[in-house]
Structure formats: C-alpha cells, structure tokens
Amino acid sequence: MSRKEKQGRNYENVNKGCFLTAGEYNIPILAPVEYRQCEWVGFNYASSVKDRRGKGIHFFLEDYQFTRLWGNIDYYVPMLSSYDSIMTPDFSLYTDFPIALQIYNHYRKHWIGAYLQQMGCHVVPTICWSDRESFRWCFDGEPTQGVVAVSSVGTQNSKKRREMFLEGYIEMMDRLQPTHVIFYGTVPEECRGDIVRIKAFSERFHEAEISQW
C-alpha cells in the first residue's frame, strides 16, 4: 500500500470533510429533514434490493453489520444515494460501555450523517441515549423540528430499562420537538408525538411463521 493510500484511510475520516459542530465534543450538526413515507429496509439487505423507489435504509441492527461504513464510506455512497431516505447508523450506546466509547459512537453516527447529507442524501437522524448522564451530549448535533427515528428494541423487557427509555424519549421530545417520530419496535403507551411505527424484524419473522401454520 502506498503512502497516499494510507493517508486516505487514516485520520478517522477528518481528512474527508469538516462540518459545523455542536457541544464540547464537536459533534457534526445534521440539518432537519421532512418526513417521507418509505418502506424501510435493513442495511444488511441494502445491496440486494432491485427496485429502490419509495424505500429507505435503517441501521437497527447489530453494530458489526454496518461498522464498515465508517472505514470506507465513499464505497457505499452510490448505493445509499439510490434510496429515498437513509437513517443515521445506530451505533450502540450501552450503559456499560465506557463513556469515551459512547461519545465516539455518537460522533461517528453524526459524521456519517453529515457526510451523506453533503452528498445529497435525505438523512433521518436516529436518536439514541444510554442513561441520564448521556443527556449532556447525546442530543448534540441533532436537528430540531424535523423527523427523527428511535428504536425501543431491547428496552421493554425490564422495568429499569423501560423507565430509562421513557426518560430519554421525553427528553428527546422536549429538546428536539420533532415533527414525526419513526418508531422501530413496540411503542410504549406513554410515548407521545406524531409516531410512524415500523415493525422490528423479530415481529415480521414471527408473523411470517404464524402465516405458515
């Protein structure tokens, strides 16, 4: 590999573009976008979809399915650009992750989102939080009064997780005042807003099993 090629792959993508930032951690700022009705497809199936009209890409998957975006974003831009909407990658913010890793994942999500917006993509911000302490930075760079996306998968199976999810959801609604909330997974009855629900893969798989009985 040449020195030039090495330079192109190093430096955590800061050599590819600089954006307006927010907060003490310089999180790239995303512009608000309007809601577009889409049929949402997981990134792991994105390359195999033939007709991409009226479809969007989500990243509510295990992180290993999409970390390659960070390492080689330009390779995926042509494919992602062929979809009507792209959600920002949902890099995990587990409560037992070191805070430095949580902030790094938030930064990567926003850098990829800002880069895709710069390339002309319709980018829907995926909002994620861990605990109350994360509220200091987890909304940095998020747009106000636009469409957002959230996932409740894995948050409704215990009282504590459910309470933490609802606390973050309420904080998101107060701070960002979204026009629509694209909701992946079960919607708790306490959640307010103009909610557009999309079923999680586990639900669709279960329904498909039942239909075959």
Side-chain angles (χ1 to χ4, degrees):
M1 182 181 292
S2 69
R3 178 170 164 272
K4 184 176 181 180
E5 288 172 326
K6 284 184 178 180
Q7 287 179 334
R9 293 190 178 187
N10 291 338
Y11 309 119
E12 294 290 327
N13 285 331
V14 296
N15 56 313
K16 291 181 178 293
C18 295
F19 309 99
L20 292 176
T21 64
E24 64 178 308
Y25 301 112
N26 302 121
I27 306 299
I29 295 172
L30 298 178
V33 296
E34 296 180 351
Y35 170 67
R36 290 182 183 176
Q37 184 160 356
C38 286
E39 176 186 347
W40 293 97
V41 178
F43 176 72
N44 50 333
Y45 294 112
S47 63
S48 62
V49 174
K50 298 282 192 285
D51 184 2
R52 298 170 183 178
R53 293 170 298 178
K55 294 182 174 65
I57 296 297
H58 74 76
F59 294 88
F60 296 127
L61 309 162
E62 296 289 341
D63 289 23
Y64 78 88
Q65 300 267 27
F66 55 83
T67 51
R68 58 188 184 273
L69 266 179
W70 179 247
N72 196 11
I73 183 66
D74 289 325
Y75 176 81
Y76 294 98
V77 167
M79 178 189 68
L80 294 175
S81 298
S82 65
Y83 283 88
D84 283 4
S85 290
I86 312 294
M87 292 186 189
T88 51
D90 186 40
F91 290 109
S92 296
L93 300 185
Y94 294 123
T95 55
D96 56 355
F97 272 7
I99 294 174
L101 180 54
Q102 293 183 42
I103 294 169
Y104 176 60
N105 280 348
H106 182 64
Y107 173 85
R108 290 196 294 170
K109 174 178 72 173
H110 273 260
W111 190 95
I112 289 173
Y115 192 74
L116 291 175
Q117 282 192 333
Q118 181 177 272
M119 295 297 172
C121 295
H122 184 268
V123 177
V124 174
T126 302
I127 313 300
C128 190
W129 53 91
S130 58
D131 53 20
R132 171 167 280 280
E133 182 66 17
S134 73
F135 297 172
R136 292 190 304 105
W137 48 264
C138 71
F139 300 108
D140 288 351
E142 306 292 6
T144 59
Q145 299 182 337
V147 61
V148 300
V150 299
S151 170
S152 65
V153 174
T155 67
Q156 305 301 297
N157 52 7
S158 78
K159 182 179 179 181
K160 182 179 179 180
R161 290 193 189 98
R162 192 173 188 277
E163 288 175 349
M164 290 172 65
F165 176 83
L166 290 172
E167 192 173 30
Y169 187 89
I170 292 168
E171 190 77 14
M172 174 194 76
M173 295 299 292
D174 289 344
R175 292 198 190 197
L176 306 183
Q177 301 175 5
T179 58
H180 297 79
V181 180
I182 301 172
F183 211 114
Y184 187 77
T186 303
V187 181
E189 61 182 13
E190 298 91 338
C191 290
R192 57 187 172 86
D194 194 340
I195 293 173
V196 181
R197 184 171 181 251
I198 57 177
K199 292 180 179 179
F201 176 78
S202 57
E203 293 178 88
R204 297 200 303 272
F205 181 74
H206 181 64
E207 289 176 355
E209 279 190 319
I210 292 175
S211 69
Q212 293 174 17
W213 289 355

